[in-house]
Amino acid sequence: MAEARTVYVDLLSGNDTTGDGSQATPYLSASLALYTHGPSPPLTILVRKAAGEEYVEITQSALKKAVKDAQGIEKKKKRAAELAARDAEQQAAAKERREKELSEARKVVLTEDPQLPQAVKSKILNLAPLRDQRVRVRGWVHRKREQSKILFIVVRDGTGLLQAVLSGRVAQTYDALTLTLESSVELVGKLVEVPAGQTAPGGHELVVDWWRTLGAAPGGAEAFTNKVNEDSGPEDRANLRHLVMRGETASAVLTLRAHLLTAFRATLIKHQLIEVTPPCLVQTQVEGGATLFKLDYYGQPAFLTQSSQLYLETCLPSIGDVFCIQESFRAENSHTRRHLSEYTHLEGELAFITFDELMDHIETLICESVDILLANPHSAALIKQLNPDFAPPARPFKRLSYVDAIAWLREHGIKRPAEDGSGGEVEHAMGDDIAEAAERRMTDIIGTPVFLHGFPAELKAFYMKRIPGNEKFTESCDLLMPGVGEIVGGSMRMSDEQELIAAYRREGIDPAPYYWYTDQRKYGTCEHGGYGLGVERLLAWLANRFTVRDCSLYPRWPGRATP
């Protein structure tokens, strides 16, 4: 005779997943105990309903219900097993069909028909004039879908998108059946206008008569959509920036950036500024030593440039007004949405101007460059895609002195963090460096570009010219844009040699390494001024991006120097 067995059921703290029926790890339900152990050998089920109670033998009514429930469990398990077996059978059949289909597809070999007209090789951007002709396009598979054995793919080549239609034999090849997103392909066929009522990028599609895969992208776990998707976190997206850039939004921002730089150059050249390329390795500071990246330069101390301003000033007597567009580096441990450790700096210097003329020039640069972008159908379409509500800024820009700005902040109850570490806030007062958050809030309320000007001398760099007759303040300005804050900083520069030497002394700067900069005041000085514009910040305003990190090819910020 089989040995009798006792199992325990705790209706309060038992567990049907991890329990084994022992008193230490009881079941939660008697039905599972019966299903697991069966009524034979003779099974004794002891039950308790609450902690601290003694286990008692199950009642007949409860046992009867447990038997019925155990039968239900057995039926469900049996049904689940049947479904699993059917699914496995169906999957096996589908796999067999797929393997047979792929085996047949390997036999389909496409050859380009020499009797057809020779295809014209073209970038997608330039296809419109080639409608009703046979064309050859190369690019990456951006999207794909299959409908009634017709394969529709959208191809991207960096200049635009093209829909291609593969049907019949060209859709039956092994490459067609295994095509993955982001594979690179070569397509040949007739470019036709899409039928009325249908849409496609550019208003046309390619009816493919020959094609091939140039570089297959992986599927499965390594598939592009498994690497980058809407659920990817910021860290993953930063690590996979090289893949993120393939998305329509990221690529649109980078393309608009290229148009923006072209527009800047066109505007500056129109106003007779000459582009120069100053060094990035320097041995002098511009904005303060605490934000310099230091390095060893053949045994000498050197730094990555914070600004090319000093070098631009030396060009004025030789080639006139100048500008540069190149990288600047700031070693600020700042993680705000508008700071980068490496950023693209558009800087200009102009001779024989006044402070008002300097602000006029900055305004002109931005407004005329935006006009160029909106007049170009390609860049205008990108702005519309990224920032549908964008409107060019109205001129003239509002000009607000530092003194009036402090008063405005006090009137509107916008405070700054207290300096005592309490976490509290205090009202702004004269001499305060207006904090980024307050500055941005003020700009957003005003709702238009604002020149904030006339900052106290102690808040600004050593080289900035004092306001004649009001020496406590400088002829300096910041241009603030709604949604971003400061995008341009500029000032008139000290033109007097002795005044500059005194500024060195006041800031504790050794004038010897700056001899070449000081000489500009010695050999024919003049009134002059300049500015620095953060390209990523202006692009963030133009494209309505939350952070400047989206506006850089491979953004660098504290702790991030990859990929």
Side-chain angles (χ1 to χ4, degrees), residues 229-273:
N229 52 55
E230 292 181 355
D231 296 326
S232 300
E235 188 71 12
D236 289 334
R237 295 181 72 83
N239 290 332
L240 298 174
R241 178 66 175 168
H242 59 293
L243 298 181
V244 170
M245 290 190 301
R246 300 186 182 205
E248 290 183 32
T249 298
S251 60
V253 172
L254 293 175
T255 305
L256 180 58
R257 175 189 171 105
H259 284 286
L260 176 61
L261 293 177
T262 299
F264 279 148
R265 285 188 166 97
T267 301
L268 291 165
I269 291 169
K270 172 186 171 184
H271 290 277
Q272 300 179 320
L273 274 76

Side-chain angles (χ1 to χ4, degrees), residues 122-364:
S122 176
K123 294 285 190 181
I124 292 174
L125 179 66
N126 303 323
L127 283 175
L130 300 176
R131 287 182 183 176
D132 297 323
Q133 296 184 48
R134 195 162 176 264
V135 299
R136 185 184 306 272
V137 173
R138 297 181 179 97
W140 290 264
V141 178
H142 191 63
R143 291 190 292 270
K144 74 182 185 78
R145 64 183 175 90
E146 189 174 354
Q147 182 178 324
S148 303
K149 296 188 176 181
I150 298 175
L151 182 62
F152 295 88
I153 63 175
V154 174
V155 176
R156 178 191 75 244
D157 73 348
T159 71
L161 300 173
L162 171 67
Q163 178 171 287
V165 183
L166 287 69
S167 62
R169 187 175 174 82
V170 295
Q172 296 167 7
T173 66
Y174 180 82
D175 280 357
L177 297 184
T178 59
L179 186 63
T180 51
L181 294 182
E182 294 306 318
S183 294
S184 55
V185 295
E186 179 180 8
L187 306 171
V188 179
K190 187 177 181 180
L191 187 69
V192 299
E193 188 174 356
V194 293
Q198 297 184 21
T199 60
H204 46 235
E205 62 186 9
L206 186 67
V207 180
V208 177
D209 59 58
W210 179 86
W211 76 287
R212 61 174 174 160
T213 298
L214 299 175
E222 286 294 302
F224 181 81
T225 50
N226 288 332
K227 301 283 282 186
V228 179
N229 52 55
E230 292 181 355
D231 296 326
S232 300
E235 188 71 12
D236 289 334
R237 295 181 72 83
N239 290 332
L240 298 174
R241 178 66 175 168
H242 59 293
L243 298 181
V244 170
M245 290 190 301
R246 300 186 182 205
E248 290 183 32
T249 298
S251 60
V253 172
L254 293 175
T255 305
L256 180 58
R257 175 189 171 105
H259 284 286
L260 176 61
L261 293 177
T262 299
F264 279 148
R265 285 188 166 97
T267 301
L268 291 165
I269 291 169
K270 172 186 171 184
H271 290 277
Q272 300 179 320
L273 274 76
I274 300 293
E275 184 171 7
V276 295
T277 52
C280 286
L281 287 169
V282 302
Q283 292 185 307
T284 51
Q285 67 185 52
V286 180
E287 299 297 335
T291 64
L292 286 164
F293 284 107
K294 188 175 182 179
L295 53 94
D296 182 280
Y297 185 70
Y298 302 106
Q300 301 178 52
F303 312 97
L304 294 176
T305 183
Q306 303 164 312
S307 166
S308 297
Q309 174 209 317
L310 306 189
Y311 294 95
L312 292 180
E313 288 187 52
T314 68
C315 297
L316 295 178
S318 55
I319 55 178
D321 298 344
V322 291
F323 75 96
C324 71
I325 301 177
Q326 65 180 49
E327 303 309 285
S328 283
F329 305 84
R330 300 285 173 91
E332 295 177 87
N333 191 20
S334 178
H335 294 262
T336 77
R337 61 187 177 99
R338 69 176 194 175
H339 279 89
L340 292 169
S341 297
E342 175 186 358
Y343 65 98
T344 304
H345 211 175
L346 186 161
E347 297 182 88
E349 289 292 324
L350 300 95
F352 305 110
I353 62 168
T354 65
F355 183 44
D356 283 334
E357 289 171 339
L358 175 63
M359 289 189 283
D360 289 342
H361 168 84
I362 296 170
E363 181 178 306
T364 296

Side-chain angles (χ1 to χ4, degrees), residues 452-498:
L452 192 58
H453 64 88
F455 293 93
E458 62 267 19
L459 299 180
K460 288 299 180 179
F462 72 91
Y463 52 77
M464 292 188 179
K465 185 178 180 63
R466 306 296 181 96
I467 297 176
N470 195 359
E471 303 295 321
K472 292 183 179 180
F473 297 91
T474 57
E475 290 190 323
S476 59
C477 65
D478 288 346
L479 178 60
L480 315 178
M481 285 293 190
V484 179
E486 179 193 344
I487 63 168
V488 182
S491 77
M492 296 299 289
R493 318 309 193 188
M494 289 181 178
S495 57
D496 182 77
E497 180 182 3
Q498 294 308 311

